[in-house]
């Protein structure tokens, strides 16, 4: 029997990452679920395995290069293959521009930008180990396509991810590796609930008002579910996207037209 293709998803314990894990498992991938929160990652792995899929949880801090390489190697050793990395883990703090601190800058850039670079390097090692190409998929955001209010740090990191995606696509094409990004809009996840709460609080309003500041511009007039994003990532992880590289697939219900 031919081995399953193997995908590695960072931030796979909740939110968008969890939906990506479940979708890729359904599509026939063996999945490495990598997260800072090992307990939650294990719970997702158990759910996938109970439903006939194949998943293994691993703890990782994506801001730590050595740790990312260790976690990716562990999953690759376990499944004896490595085909797709989804660099999904990210932080989305609300940071009015005058409030940004050096500590926040370091933390958010190390996770959102560093995590993508280390993920690319770790995946590259494994693709070379098996002597084939692969697919690298990075999480950006509609806020990485157009600047969003109060998100200077976050938007900056997500613009950077699109830039890195374009460069890596050019650098790695000859190794038969494609590199693309996905840009969600306003997705019902713990991260987005937190942003809505803080934007509301800063304006002296409630969470619902905070959410509406983002949601009012959605052409399709509904918030995104994590599964809407996972559908697009499944396309980027599968063969139907083989002739795409360097692109950002915007999955935001029509907030940004690009
Ligand atoms: P979330 O906060 O709900 O989940 C993120 C997961 O990443 C958590 O399980 C967390 O434990 C993990 N994580 C955090 N720091 C980590 C680290 N250093 N190492 C390893 N794992 C870590 O987030 P989400 O809303 O599901 O977002 C996932 C991705 O999608 C992020 O990159 C985010 O920027 C992007 N995104 C989200 C939205 C949205 O509306 N929720 C919109 C656009 C883009």
């Amino acid at each position: 029997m031919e081995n399953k293709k193997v995908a590695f998803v960072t931030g796979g314990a909740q939110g968008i990452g969890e939906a990506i894990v479940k979708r890729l498992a359904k599509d026939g991938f063996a999945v490495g679920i990598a997260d800072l929160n090992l307990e939650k990652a294990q719970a997702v792995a158990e759910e996938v395995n109970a439903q006939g899929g194949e998943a293994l949880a691993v703890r990782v801090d994506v801001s730590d290069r050595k740790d990312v390489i260790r976690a990716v190697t562990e999953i690759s050793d376990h499944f004896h293959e490595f085909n797709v990395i989804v660099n999904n883990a990210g932080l989305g703090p609300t940071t009015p521009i005058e409030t940004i601190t050096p500590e926040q800058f370091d933390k958010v850039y190390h996770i959102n930008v560093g995590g993508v670079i280390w993920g690319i390097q770790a995946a590259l090692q494994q693709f070379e180990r098996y002597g084939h190409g692969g697919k690298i998929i990075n999480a950006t955001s509609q806020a990485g396509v157009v600047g969003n209010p109060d998100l200077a740090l976050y938007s900056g990191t997500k613009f950077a991810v699109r830039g890195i995606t374009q460069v890596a696509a050019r650098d790695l094409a000859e190794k038969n590796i494609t590199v693309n990004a996905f840009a969600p809009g306003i997705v019902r996840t713990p991260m987005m609930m937190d942003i809505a709460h803080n934007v509301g609080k800063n304006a002296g309003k409630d969470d619902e008002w905070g959410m509406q500041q983002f949601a009012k511009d959605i052409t399709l007039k509904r918030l995104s579910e994590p599964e809407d994003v996972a559908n697009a990532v499944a396309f980027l992880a599968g063969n139907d996207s083989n002739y795409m590289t360097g692109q950002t697939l915007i999955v935001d219900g029509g907030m940004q037209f690009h």
Side-chain angles (χ1 to χ4, degrees):
M1 201 180 86
E2 201 184 320
N3 275 350
K4 277 187 173 185
K5 282 196 170 178
V6 175
F8 183 95
V9 182
T10 68
Q14 71 174 34
I16 293 170
E18 178 182 355
I20 293 169
V21 165
K22 290 179 174 169
R23 172 60 193 264
L24 293 184
K26 218 180 258 175
D27 287 358
F29 284 89
V31 187
I33 307 174
D35 204 287
L36 208 48
N37 188 332
L38 180 61
E39 224 170 276
K40 271 196 191 168
Q42 279 169 337
V44 176
E46 275 167 30
E47 213 182 313
V48 168
N49 290 326
Q51 287 171 2
E54 208 178 336
L56 182 69
V58 65
R59 189 192 177 279
V60 74
D61 177 355
V62 297
S63 68
D64 179 340
R65 180 177 187 272
K66 273 197 196 137
D67 205 39
V68 174
I69 288 174
R70 177 201 49 77
V72 163
T73 306
E74 194 176 314
I75 293 298
S76 172
D77 286 351
H78 179 82
F79 290 120
H80 308 290
E81 182 54 289
F82 200 91
N83 307 92
V84 173
I85 190 164
V86 185
N87 293 310
N88 164 77
L91 291 185
T94 309
T95 55
I97 205 135
E98 68 279 13
T99 71
I100 297 170
T101 63
E103 291 74 23
Q104 276 180 325
F105 174 84
D106 280 348
K107 183 164 187 200
V108 180
Y109 271 79
H110 275 110
I111 293 175
N112 290 12
V113 180
V116 169
I117 296 173
W118 312 142
I120 292 173
Q121 289 184 340
L124 184 55
Q125 280 184 0
Q126 297 307 316
F127 299 153
E128 288 182 335
R129 168 180 176 182
Y130 296 112
H132 57 55
K135 286 175 177 269
I136 293 169
I137 303 168
N138 302 323
T140 174
S141 166
Q142 59 79 25
V145 177
V146 171
N148 279 203
D150 278 348
L151 296 180
L153 268 187
Y154 181 72
S155 275
T157 62
K158 294 302 183 179
F159 270 76
V161 169
R162 285 201 302 125
I164 292 163
T165 298
Q166 294 180 10
V167 174
R170 292 198 195 275
D171 284 356
L172 303 179
E174 65 180 18
K175 297 180 191 290
N176 201 20
I177 296 167
T178 63
V179 190
N180 292 293
F182 58 100
I186 310 300
V187 192
R188 227 185 277 279
T189 68
M191 170 190 283
M192 197 55 224
M193 295 307 173
D194 188 51
I195 292 177
H197 172 77
N198 285 311
V199 168
K201 198 174 77 183
N202 288 344
K205 311 265 170 118
D206 61 11
D207 294 9
E208 186 52 35
W209 183 89
M211 192 61 98
Q212 278 313 314
Q213 301 319 297
F214 296 95
K216 63 184 187 208
D217 298 325
I218 302 175
T219 302
L220 294 181
K221 298 289 175 234
R222 70 167 175 88
L223 294 182
S224 170
E225 299 301 329
E227 291 73 21
D228 293 312
V229 181
N231 291 342
V233 173
F235 166 68
L236 293 176
N239 289 332
D240 286 348
S241 61
N242 282 354
Y243 197 58
M244 266 179 78
T245 198
Q247 305 303 312
T248 292
L249 198 52
I250 305 178
V251 197
D252 65 355
M255 294 174 72
Q256 314 297 349
F257 294 153
H258 201 61

